[in-house]
Amino acid sequence: MSTAASTRPVTRSQPDAALGRVRSVPIADPGPLLDRLPPGDVVAWTRGSDGFAAWGEAARFTASGPDRISAAAEWWRRAVAAASIDDQVGVPGSGALAFASFTFDDGPSDSVMIVPRVVLARRDGASWLTTIGDAESPDIAGGQPPVVRPVPSGSVRYGDGDVSSSAYESAVNEAVSRIGAGELDKVVLARDLVATTELPIDPRALLARLSQRYPSCWTFAVDGLVGSTPELLVRRTGDHVVSRVLAGTTSRSSDAVVDAKHAAELLASDKDRVEHELAVRSVADALGPFCSDLVVPRAPEVVRLANVQHLQTDVTGRLANGESALDLAAALHPTAAVCGTPTGRARSVIRELEHMDRGRYAGPVGWIDWRGDGAFGIALRCAQIETNDPRTLRMYAGCGIVEGSVPANELAEAQSKLLAIRDALEPS
């Protein structure tokens, strides 16, 4: 389907959310957070043993259009101002808290923000429980997991989504031609794969497997979008801001010597270094106006994940005027890592060549609290459980296309990125 930008204005649901009473209290260590999630609609954001596991829904906001993130930020400010907040913990993520997942493009899909009724959380060894509205505090004594365990989804069948392998290679080839002609410097092209399972997909099972396999990534679930991203779009803690840029990819090997060789080749690759530098520059340019002090490392490092290796750079800064995590996400999205350079031209080429609606893939996903602190990743290594058919999962992966990109190699890279979700769906 086409990704042509929607001309619809921002749409809103529940514009005057009444959160009522919000209460956060310290608790004893509840054990693994994701083990505590009940069946049904769940929300999560975890990294290692820290993060949030949440359920229920106290309020919801949906939006589409070019101002969808800033509209969500304004909605959240109004909701927080009207709430009665009893925060006995006083750390980032305690008190009133919302989780959000935004579309990559301006339309036609909707972005969503969810305020759960119950949030179980841990940060730096401290645990707490937040209840919102009329939610009752759950019995969490003893650190026991829920009685109902995640249900396996059974056998899986795969099929092409909107973009087949051959169509993807053709799109990459066309993009390389346009880059060579000077039309743009970089464009990120994605493809999708559809999985159909024997039984309805339990998001808790995907979350557990992803968090176990990728403990250094941010594992998330918001409104049926489940994934584990290595890329942090922005994190705000007080006046401190950080954005983690990943661009440039190579494979992993079970042989340590070969693995190190791949890493060295990645660091020495002109093609990958150019792609990475474009991504870092786009983040620095977007954060610069908000920061009184911005630090951009001169050279990237290699980060190793279970299935691939990336070039990585952390851009850090100090906020000058106290913008919220959502305000910063709105300014940063889309980065060159998921769109291209120049941004406007790259978005136009994506709409022309990709032939699918990315939905909330490659959009900001994360959380924000009532102080404006929060963290948003880029929704990568993820899949969407279809609302009308929970046996259908649409997974996405993309690659940065620059001068010198080889279509067959980019297809292979995209396939390797899809393995994160495939392995979670079909554990060995």
Side-chain angles (χ1 to χ4, degrees):
M1 66 184 70
S2 171
T3 57
S6 171
T7 57
R8 293 182 299 164
V10 169
T11 57
R12 304 180 181 182
S13 66
Q14 209 171 336
D16 298 311
L19 304 185
R21 187 186 183 198
V22 180
R23 186 168 183 257
S24 290
V25 296
I27 59 172
D29 189 337
L33 296 175
L34 297 176
D35 283 356
R36 311 309 303 276
L37 288 169
D41 295 331
V42 297
V43 180
W45 175 271
T46 64
R47 185 173 188 245
S49 62
D50 285 3
F52 310 96
W55 57 94
E57 190 172 298
R60 169 182 287 253
F61 173 86
T62 58
S64 62
D67 299 322
R68 60 199 178 282
I69 304 178
S70 57
E74 178 57 31
W75 177 84
W76 180 238
R77 280 189 279 266
R78 292 199 310 270
V80 164
S84 173
I85 302 173
D86 176 16
D87 184 359
Q88 300 175 29
V89 181
V91 299
S94 64
L97 183 71
F99 298 84
S101 175
F102 296 95
T103 55
F104 170 80
D105 214 343
D106 298 344
S109 301
D110 277 337
S111 301
V112 63
M113 184 176 237
I114 295 172
V115 183
R117 290 192 176 276
V118 180
V119 182
L120 194 59
R122 183 188 295 108
R123 180 186 179 92
D124 298 332
S127 301
W128 68 92
L129 176 71
T130 299
T131 54
I132 299 174
D134 58 3
E136 296 183 2
S137 295
D139 181 7
I140 58 169
Q144 296 300 313
V147 175
V148 181
R149 293 281 191 173
V151 178
S153 53
S155 61
V156 185
R157 292 183 291 108
Y158 294 98
D160 282 334
D162 292 326
V163 183
S164 67
S165 297
S166 59
Y168 185 72
E169 287 190 283
S170 295
V172 172
N173 188 61
E174 175 63 20
V176 171
S177 296
R178 297 189 182 195
I179 292 168
E183 188 174 329
L184 69 170
D185 298 317
K186 172 188 174 180
V187 63
V188 178
L189 294 178
R191 66 171 305 233
D192 56 344
L193 186 71
V194 175
T196 303
T197 59
E198 181 182 359
L199 299 173
I201 298 164
D202 190 331
R204 299 175 302 157
L206 296 179
L207 286 168
R209 293 163 190 159
L210 287 167
S211 65
Q212 182 178 28
R213 187 166 173 78
Y214 301 96
S216 64
C217 293
W218 290 268
T219 298
F220 59 88
V222 179
D223 203 39
L225 185 72
V226 184
S228 195
T229 181
E231 192 147 357
L232 185 69
L233 179 65
V234 66
R235 179 175 62 230
R236 193 204 99 157
T237 308
D239 66 350
H240 183 258
V241 177
V242 60
S243 179
R244 174 164 293 177
V245 181
L246 273 71
T249 306
T250 191
S251 60
R252 293 297 311 271
S253 172
S254 58
D255 185 314
V257 174
V258 174
D259 208 43
K261 179 175 180 289
H262 288 172
E265 290 172 347
L266 181 62
L267 277 170
S269 167
D270 290 339
K271 178 258 185 189
D272 289 292
R273 290 293 288 264
V274 167
E275 180 186 347
H276 189 82
E277 173 58 31
L278 290 171
V280 171
R281 191 184 310 156
S282 75
V283 167
D285 288 346
L287 279 182
F290 300 98
C291 295
S292 57
D293 181 23
L294 194 69
V295 178
V296 183
R298 291 186 177 182
E301 60 183 7
V302 174
V303 59
R304 290 177 169 89
L305 304 180
N307 58 335
V308 293
Q309 304 181 74
H310 295 292
L311 294 179
Q312 172 184 299
T313 296
D314 283 356
V315 179
T316 60
R318 292 284 178 184
L319 279 180
N321 298 306
E323 288 80 4
S324 75
L326 268 176
D327 295 329
L328 296 172
L332 282 163
H333 179 74
T335 69
V338 292
C339 182
T341 307
T343 301
R345 186 58 195 146
R347 291 181 81 162
S348 178
V349 171
I350 288 170
R351 291 165 183 161
E352 184 179 348
L353 299 184
E354 210 169 66
H355 303 298
M356 72 172 185
D357 176 13
R358 289 188 179 186
R360 290 179 283 137
Y361 163 73
V365 59
W367 61 273
I368 184 170
D369 72 10
W370 62 297
R371 305 171 187 83
D373 285 337
F376 284 88
I378 299 175
L380 305 174
R381 316 298 198 273
C382 65
Q384 177 70 47
I385 301 172
E386 297 290 347
T387 303
N388 297 326
D389 183 3
R391 297 183 306 112
T392 300
L393 187 77
R394 186 177 295 270
M395 56 192 77
Y396 302 87
C399 301
I401 312 304
V402 296
E403 187 174 6
S405 291
V406 178
N409 294 347
E410 302 302 331
L411 176 63
E413 181 181 322
Q415 300 285 59
S416 69
K417 291 175 178 177
L418 288 169
L419 286 176
I421 292 295
R422 294 187 63 163
D423 288 348
L425 193 61
E426 294 186 277
S428 55

